[in-house]
Amino acid sequence: MYAASREASSRAREALRAALTGSDTVAATTGSELFAVVAVLDDQRSLRVALADKSVSSSARAELAERVFGGKISGTTLAVLTTAVAQDWSRARDLVDTLVLLGREALLRAADERGRLDAVEDELFRLARIIDDNPDLEQALQDHGKPAEAKLALVQRLLAGKVEDITLQLAEQAVLRHTGDAGAAIDELSNLAASLREQIVAHVRAAVALTPQQREHLAASLQRIYDKPVTVHVQEDPSLLAGVVVRVGDDLIDGSAVGRLQRLRQSLA
């Protein structure tokens, strides 16, 4: 995003936080309704452009949003939406992307109010790993020629009754909107959940399952390195032979046996 849209997005997120009252019902409704608004804007380019048109006054854009969506969404959602469209956006797409982010945050805050944010974050991480490990599933979720209804049905067959309802809703929305790597799209949601808890995420591949004590020790070590609480997500990978590989953002810490062998080969070359 350009500077104008970054500032607009920041103000819209502040409006969302102010609007949510601590009720999981309000937060869940707001998230679902913002996703519904996004679906309309995705389908109606002229409306999308009009709501982000800087040549029109902010009050006129807010009034347009009220005319189109008033009575169809809750007062809380409408207040967040009108605040968002009243900002100055560099591109209409930035407005839509921010509404997606607001919807995701609202649903995750609903999970937090229910005491289920940790569970949702873990389920999203595990779903991303399932997608990464199953090329056929990944292809099906990314197939541009597959109808949206078919993708939704696939996600529902995979998750319905097995995960939190918020996990399912977030996964459905991510799969429908994302045009690239489905696993990466789900990972973004898991990372967002961690950020709402003011934590960073460490993606760990381990040759064998880590004990709870080992997880705690690893999290504590990473917290000392990054000076911030760390959520550790672990995926077993026997191909490493021994040890672990840790990824935190762009940082990669390779303590696996395979990594040590590769470094030894390089030193002897």
Side-chain angles (χ1 to χ4, degrees), residues 16-44:
L16 175 71
R17 292 170 192 143
L20 299 184
T21 61
S23 164
D24 67 292
T25 302
V26 171
T29 299
T30 301
S32 298
E33 290 179 343
L34 285 170
F35 283 170
V37 169
V38 166
V40 172
L41 298 184
D42 280 341
D43 288 339
Q44 299 186 25

PDB file of all heavy atoms in Angstrom, residues 16-44:
ATOM      1  N   LEU A  16     -12.569  -0.136  14.059  1.00  0.00           N
ATOM      2  CA  LEU A  16     -13.061  -1.470  14.380  1.00  0.00           C
ATOM      3  C   LEU A  16     -12.852  -1.772  15.860  1.00  0.00           C
ATOM      4  O   LEU A  16     -13.771  -2.249  16.543  1.00  0.00           O
ATOM      5  CB  LEU A  16     -12.348  -2.521  13.528  1.00  0.00           C
ATOM      6  CG  LEU A  16     -12.709  -3.976  13.869  1.00  0.00           C
ATOM      7  CD1 LEU A  16     -14.130  -4.288  13.414  1.00  0.00           C
ATOM      8  CD2 LEU A  16     -11.714  -4.938  13.235  1.00  0.00           C
ATOM      9  N   ARG A  17     -11.664  -1.509  16.353  1.00  0.00           N
ATOM     10  CA  ARG A  17     -11.366  -1.810  17.756  1.00  0.00           C
ATOM     11  C   ARG A  17     -12.285  -1.022  18.692  1.00  0.00           C
ATOM     12  O   ARG A  17     -12.723  -1.532  19.728  1.00  0.00           O
ATOM     13  CB  ARG A  17      -9.903  -1.508  18.054  1.00  0.00           C
ATOM     14  CG  ARG A  17      -8.946  -2.453  17.329  1.00  0.00           C
ATOM     15  CD  ARG A  17      -7.514  -1.989  17.432  1.00  0.00           C
ATOM     16  NE  ARG A  17      -6.665  -2.742  16.502  1.00  0.00           N
ATOM     17  CZ  ARG A  17      -5.657  -2.217  15.836  1.00  0.00           C
ATOM     18  NH1 ARG A  17      -5.378  -0.923  15.972  1.00  0.00           N
ATOM     19  NH2 ARG A  17      -4.934  -2.952  15.016  1.00  0.00           N
ATOM     20  N   ALA A  18     -12.570   0.224  18.324  1.00  0.00           N
ATOM     21  CA  ALA A  18     -13.454   1.048  19.155  1.00  0.00           C
ATOM     22  C   ALA A  18     -14.893   0.546  19.097  1.00  0.00           C
ATOM     23  O   ALA A  18     -15.638   0.664  20.073  1.00  0.00           O
ATOM     24  CB  ALA A  18     -13.383   2.506  18.708  1.00  0.00           C
ATOM     25  N   ALA A  19     -15.275  -0.015  17.945  1.00  0.00           N
ATOM     26  CA  ALA A  19     -16.670  -0.434  17.754  1.00  0.00           C
ATOM     27  C   ALA A  19     -16.981  -1.740  18.463  1.00  0.00           C
ATOM     28  O   ALA A  19     -18.118  -1.956  18.904  1.00  0.00           O
ATOM     29  CB  ALA A  19     -16.976  -0.569  16.266  1.00  0.00           C
ATOM     30  N   LEU A  20     -15.996  -2.627  18.570  1.00  0.00           N
ATOM     31  CA  LEU A  20     -16.240  -3.916  19.207  1.00  0.00           C
ATOM     32  C   LEU A  20     -16.290  -3.732  20.720  1.00  0.00           C
ATOM     33  O   LEU A  20     -15.386  -3.160  21.316  1.00  0.00           O
ATOM     34  CB  LEU A  20     -15.151  -4.915  18.815  1.00  0.00           C
ATOM     35  CG  LEU A  20     -15.064  -5.208  17.306  1.00  0.00           C
ATOM     36  CD1 LEU A  20     -14.011  -6.273  17.039  1.00  0.00           C
ATOM     37  CD2 LEU A  20     -16.416  -5.633  16.743  1.00  0.00           C
ATOM     38  N   THR A  21     -17.335  -4.212  21.327  1.00  0.00           N
ATOM     39  CA  THR A  21     -17.629  -3.903  22.727  1.00  0.00           C
ATOM     40  C   THR A  21     -17.161  -4.961  23.708  1.00  0.00           C
ATOM     41  O   THR A  21     -17.438  -4.868  24.895  1.00  0.00           O
ATOM     42  CB  THR A  21     -19.147  -3.721  22.898  1.00  0.00           C
ATOM     43  OG1 THR A  21     -19.799  -4.960  22.537  1.00  0.00           O
ATOM     44  CG2 THR A  21     -19.662  -2.607  22.003  1.00  0.00           C
ATOM     45  N   GLY A  22     -16.495  -5.988  23.244  1.00  0.00           N
ATOM     46  CA  GLY A  22     -16.107  -7.078  24.124  1.00  0.00           C
ATOM     47  C   GLY A  22     -17.076  -8.234  24.063  1.00  0.00           C
ATOM     48  O   GLY A  22     -16.886  -9.242  24.743  1.00  0.00           O
ATOM     49  N   SER A  23     -18.115  -8.104  23.243  1.00  0.00           N
ATOM     50  CA  SER A  23     -19.078  -9.188  23.054  1.00  0.00           C
ATOM     51  C   SER A  23     -18.650 -10.042  21.885  1.00  0.00           C
ATOM     52  O   SER A  23     -18.420  -9.534  20.786  1.00  0.00           O
ATOM     53  CB  SER A  23     -20.469  -8.612  22.793  1.00  0.00           C
ATOM     54  OG  SER A  23     -21.329  -9.587  22.252  1.00  0.00           O
ATOM     55  N   ASP A  24     -18.555 -11.362  22.099  1.00  0.00           N
ATOM     56  CA  ASP A  24     -18.164 -12.226  20.998  1.00  0.00           C
ATOM     57  C   ASP A  24     -19.235 -12.235  19.915  1.00  0.00           C
ATOM     58  O   ASP A  24     -18.928 -12.386  18.729  1.00  0.00           O
ATOM     59  CB  ASP A  24     -17.897 -13.647  21.495  1.00  0.00           C
ATOM     60  CG  ASP A  24     -19.157 -14.348  21.988  1.00  0.00           C
ATOM     61  OD1 ASP A  24     -19.688 -13.908  23.021  1.00  0.00           O
ATOM     62  OD2 ASP A  24     -19.591 -15.313  21.341  1.00  0.00           O
ATOM     63  N   THR A  25     -20.505 -12.038  20.303  1.00  0.00           N
ATOM     64  CA  THR A  25     -21.588 -12.029  19.315  1.00  0.00           C
ATOM     65  C   THR A  25     -21.460 -10.830  18.383  1.00  0.00           C
ATOM     66  O   THR A  25     -21.597 -10.969  17.154  1.00  0.00           O
ATOM     67  CB  THR A  25     -22.957 -11.995  20.018  1.00  0.00           C
ATOM     68  OG1 THR A  25     -23.068 -13.126  20.874  1.00  0.00           O
ATOM     69  CG2 THR A  25     -24.082 -12.012  19.009  1.00  0.00           C
ATOM     70  N   VAL A  26     -21.194  -9.649  18.951  1.00  0.00           N
ATOM     71  CA  VAL A  26     -21.022  -8.442  18.130  1.00  0.00           C
ATOM     72  C   VAL A  26     -19.827  -8.603  17.202  1.00  0.00           C
ATOM     73  O   VAL A  26     -19.891  -8.283  16.008  1.00  0.00           O
ATOM     74  CB  VAL A  26     -20.845  -7.201  19.032  1.00  0.00           C
ATOM     75  CG1 VAL A  26     -20.436  -5.981  18.198  1.00  0.00           C
ATOM     76  CG2 VAL A  26     -22.132  -6.905  19.791  1.00  0.00           C
ATOM     77  N   ALA A  27     -18.716  -9.109  17.738  1.00  0.00           N
ATOM     78  CA  ALA A  27     -17.510  -9.262  16.925  1.00  0.00           C
ATOM     79  C   ALA A  27     -17.733 -10.270  15.798  1.00  0.00           C
ATOM     80  O   ALA A  27     -17.329 -10.035  14.648  1.00  0.00           O
ATOM     81  CB  ALA A  27     -16.344  -9.700  17.806  1.00  0.00           C
ATOM     82  N   ALA A  28     -18.389 -11.390  16.115  1.00  0.00           N
ATOM     83  CA  ALA A  28     -18.631 -12.420  15.097  1.00  0.00           C
ATOM     84  C   ALA A  28     -19.563 -11.904  14.013  1.00  0.00           C
ATOM     85  O   ALA A  28     -19.335 -12.139  12.811  1.00  0.00           O
ATOM     86  CB  ALA A  28     -19.211 -13.674  15.745  1.00  0.00           C
ATOM     87  N   THR A  29     -20.607 -11.186  14.413  1.00  0.00           N
ATOM     88  CA  THR A  29     -21.533 -10.624  13.428  1.00  0.00           C
ATOM     89  C   THR A  29     -20.838  -9.610  12.546  1.00  0.00           C
ATOM     90  O   THR A  29     -21.024  -9.598  11.321  1.00  0.00           O
ATOM     91  CB  THR A  29     -22.729  -9.959  14.143  1.00  0.00           C
ATOM     92  OG1 THR A  29     -23.430 -10.947  14.901  1.00  0.00           O
ATOM     93  CG2 THR A  29     -23.676  -9.326  13.138  1.00  0.00           C
ATOM     94  N   THR A  30     -20.034  -8.755  13.146  1.00  0.00           N
ATOM     95  CA  THR A  30     -19.305  -7.738  12.384  1.00  0.00           C
ATOM     96  C   THR A  30     -18.376  -8.379  11.369  1.00  0.00           C
ATOM     97  O   THR A  30     -18.313  -7.966  10.209  1.00  0.00           O
ATOM     98  CB  THR A  30     -18.508  -6.824  13.332  1.00  0.00           C
ATOM     99  OG1 THR A  30     -19.405  -6.188  14.248  1.00  0.00           O
ATOM    100  CG2 THR A  30     -17.747  -5.759  12.552  1.00  0.00           C
ATOM    101  N   GLY A  31     -17.646  -9.401  11.782  1.00  0.00           N
ATOM    102  CA  GLY A  31     -16.744 -10.083  10.863  1.00  0.00           C
ATOM    103  C   GLY A  31     -17.478 -10.704   9.694  1.00  0.00           C
ATOM    104  O   GLY A  31     -17.083 -10.540   8.531  1.00  0.00           O
ATOM    105  N   SER A  32     -18.554 -11.408   9.983  1.00  0.00           N
ATOM    106  CA  SER A  32     -19.323 -12.059   8.916  1.00  0.00           C
ATOM    107  C   SER A  32     -19.908 -11.031   7.952  1.00  0.00           C
ATOM    108  O   SER A  32     -19.892 -11.217   6.730  1.00  0.00           O
ATOM    109  CB  SER A  32     -20.454 -12.899   9.524  1.00  0.00           C
ATOM    110  OG  SER A  32     -19.933 -13.925  10.335  1.00  0.00           O
ATOM    111  N   GLU A  33     -20.430  -9.937   8.496  1.00  0.00           N
ATOM    112  CA  GLU A  33     -21.047  -8.921   7.645  1.00  0.00           C
ATOM    113  C   GLU A  33     -20.017  -8.171   6.814  1.00  0.00           C
ATOM    114  O   GLU A  33     -20.292  -7.801   5.660  1.00  0.00           O
ATOM    115  CB  GLU A  33     -21.856  -7.963   8.503  1.00  0.00           C
ATOM    116  CG  GLU A  33     -23.108  -8.611   9.093  1.00  0.00           C
ATOM    117  CD  GLU A  33     -23.913  -7.683   9.981  1.00  0.00           C
ATOM    118  OE1 GLU A  33     -23.373  -6.640  10.428  1.00  0.00           O
ATOM    119  OE2 GLU A  33     -25.088  -7.992  10.232  1.00  0.00           O
ATOM    120  N   LEU A  34     -18.840  -7.950   7.356  1.00  0.00           N
ATOM    121  CA  LEU A  34     -17.790  -7.308   6.557  1.00  0.00           C
ATOM    122  C   LEU A  34     -17.383  -8.200   5.393  1.00  0.00           C
ATOM    123  O   LEU A  34     -17.125  -7.719   4.282  1.00  0.00           O
ATOM    124  CB  LEU A  34     -16.578  -6.974   7.438  1.00  0.00           C
ATOM    125  CG  LEU A  34     -16.752  -5.777   8.368  1.00  0.00           C
ATOM    126  CD1 LEU A  34     -15.600  -5.689   9.366  1.00  0.00           C
ATOM    127  CD2 LEU A  34     -16.840  -4.469   7.567  1.00  0.00           C
ATOM    128  N   PHE A  35     -17.330  -9.505   5.615  1.00  0.00           N
ATOM    129  CA  PHE A  35     -17.050 -10.425   4.509  1.00  0.00           C
ATOM    130  C   PHE A  35     -18.154 -10.353   3.455  1.00  0.00           C
ATOM    131  O   PHE A  35     -17.882 -10.437   2.250  1.00  0.00           O
ATOM    132  CB  PHE A  35     -16.925 -11.851   5.023  1.00  0.00           C
ATOM    133  CG  PHE A  35     -15.611 -12.155   5.701  1.00  0.00           C
ATOM    134  CD1 PHE A  35     -15.430 -13.342   6.400  1.00  0.00           C
ATOM    135  CD2 PHE A  35     -14.546 -11.264   5.646  1.00  0.00           C
ATOM    136  CE1 PHE A  35     -14.226 -13.644   7.011  1.00  0.00           C
ATOM    137  CE2 PHE A  35     -13.336 -11.545   6.267  1.00  0.00           C
ATOM    138  CZ  PHE A  35     -13.179 -12.730   6.945  1.00  0.00           C
ATOM    139  N   ALA A  36     -19.403 -10.184   3.890  1.00  0.00           N
ATOM    140  CA  ALA A  36     -20.514 -10.072   2.939  1.00  0.00           C
ATOM    141  C   ALA A  36     -20.389  -8.785   2.120  1.00  0.00           C
ATOM    142  O   ALA A  36     -20.652  -8.776   0.912  1.00  0.00           O
ATOM    143  CB  ALA A  36     -21.846 -10.099   3.682  1.00  0.00           C
ATOM    144  N   VAL A  37     -19.977  -7.699   2.764  1.00  0.00           N
ATOM    145  CA  VAL A  37     -19.751  -6.438   2.055  1.00  0.00           C
ATOM    146  C   VAL A  37     -18.644  -6.612   1.015  1.00  0.00           C
ATOM    147  O   VAL A  37     -18.760  -6.151  -0.132  1.00  0.00           O
ATOM    148  CB  VAL A  37     -19.381  -5.320   3.053  1.00  0.00           C
ATOM    149  CG1 VAL A  37     -18.884  -4.072   2.309  1.00  0.00           C
ATOM    150  CG2 VAL A  37     -20.581  -4.969   3.931  1.00  0.00           C
ATOM    151  N   VAL A  38     -17.576  -7.291   1.407  1.00  0.00           N
ATOM    152  CA  VAL A  38     -16.461  -7.527   0.485  1.00  0.00           C
ATOM    153  C   VAL A  38     -16.936  -8.308  -0.732  1.00  0.00           C
ATOM    154  O   VAL A  38     -16.527  -8.013  -1.870  1.00  0.00           O
ATOM    155  CB  VAL A  38     -15.322  -8.276   1.217  1.00  0.00           C
ATOM    156  CG1 VAL A  38     -14.309  -8.832   0.213  1.00  0.00           C
ATOM    157  CG2 VAL A  38     -14.631  -7.348   2.200  1.00  0.00           C
ATOM    158  N   ALA A  39     -17.783  -9.302  -0.523  1.00  0.00           N
ATOM    159  CA  ALA A  39     -18.293 -10.097  -1.640  1.00  0.00           C
ATOM    160  C   ALA A  39     -19.047  -9.205  -2.626  1.00  0.00           C
ATOM    161  O   ALA A  39     -18.919  -9.361  -3.850  1.00  0.00           O
ATOM    162  CB  ALA A  39     -19.199 -11.211  -1.125  1.00  0.00           C
ATOM    163  N   VAL A  40     -19.827  -8.260  -2.117  1.00  0.00           N
ATOM    164  CA  VAL A  40     -20.555  -7.331  -2.986  1.00  0.00           C
ATOM    165  C   VAL A  40     -19.573  -6.452  -3.763  1.00  0.00           C
ATOM    166  O   VAL A  40     -19.707  -6.256  -4.983  1.00  0.00           O
ATOM    167  CB  VAL A  40     -21.518  -6.458  -2.163  1.00  0.00           C
ATOM    168  CG1 VAL A  40     -22.126  -5.360  -3.031  1.00  0.00           C
ATOM    169  CG2 VAL A  40     -22.623  -7.308  -1.562  1.00  0.00           C
ATOM    170  N   LEU A  41     -18.576  -5.918  -3.081  1.00  0.00           N
ATOM    171  CA  LEU A  41     -17.607  -5.035  -3.733  1.00  0.00           C
ATOM    172  C   LEU A  41     -16.751  -5.776  -4.747  1.00  0.00           C
ATOM    173  O   LEU A  41     -16.356  -5.211  -5.773  1.00  0.00           O
ATOM    174  CB  LEU A  41     -16.722  -4.358  -2.681  1.00  0.00           C
ATOM    175  CG  LEU A  41     -17.450  -3.452  -1.680  1.00  0.00           C
ATOM    176  CD1 LEU A  41     -16.452  -2.776  -0.752  1.00  0.00           C
ATOM    177  CD2 LEU A  41     -18.300  -2.411  -2.398  1.00  0.00           C
ATOM    178  N   ASP A  42     -16.446  -7.030  -4.464  1.00  0.00           N
ATOM    179  CA  ASP A  42     -15.705  -7.833  -5.443  1.00  0.00           C
ATOM    180  C   ASP A  42     -16.499  -7.985  -6.739  1.00  0.00           C
ATOM    181  O   ASP A  42     -15.929  -8.022  -7.839  1.00  0.00           O
ATOM    182  CB  ASP A  42     -15.392  -9.217  -4.877  1.00  0.00           C
ATOM    183  CG  ASP A  42     -14.190  -9.208  -3.938  1.00  0.00           C
ATOM    184  OD1 ASP A  42     -13.396  -8.252  -4.009  1.00  0.00           O
ATOM    185  OD2 ASP A  42     -14.050 -10.152  -3.140  1.00  0.00           O
ATOM    186  N   ASP A  43     -17.817  -8.091  -6.614  1.00  0.00           N
ATOM    187  CA  ASP A  43     -18.669  -8.309  -7.780  1.00  0.00           C
ATOM    188  C   ASP A  43     -19.043  -7.022  -8.500  1.00  0.00           C
ATOM    189  O   ASP A  43     -19.381  -7.053  -9.686  1.00  0.00           O
ATOM    190  CB  ASP A  43     -19.964  -9.031  -7.361  1.00  0.00           C
ATOM    191  CG  ASP A  43     -19.721 -10.488  -7.010  1.00  0.00           C
ATOM    192  OD1 ASP A  43     -18.689 -11.031  -7.449  1.00  0.00           O
ATOM    193  OD2 ASP A  43     -20.555 -11.066  -6.295  1.00  0.00           O
ATOM    194  N   GLN A  44     -19.000  -5.881  -7.798  1.00  0.00           N
ATOM    195  CA  GLN A  44     -19.475  -4.616  -8.370  1.00  0.00           C
ATOM    196  C   GLN A  44     -18.341  -3.595  -8.403  1.00  0.00           C
ATOM    197  O   GLN A  44     -18.140  -2.823  -7.456  1.00  0.00           O
ATOM    198  CB  GLN A  44     -20.664  -4.084  -7.566  1.00  0.00           C
ATOM    199  CG  GLN A  44     -21.860  -5.023  -7.557  1.00  0.00           C
ATOM    200  CD  GLN A  44     -23.072  -4.419  -6.883  1.00  0.00           C
ATOM    201  OE1 GLN A  44     -23.230  -3.200  -6.813  1.00  0.00           O
ATOM    202  NE2 GLN A  44     -23.959  -5.272  -6.392  1.00  0.00           N
TER     203      GLN A  44
END
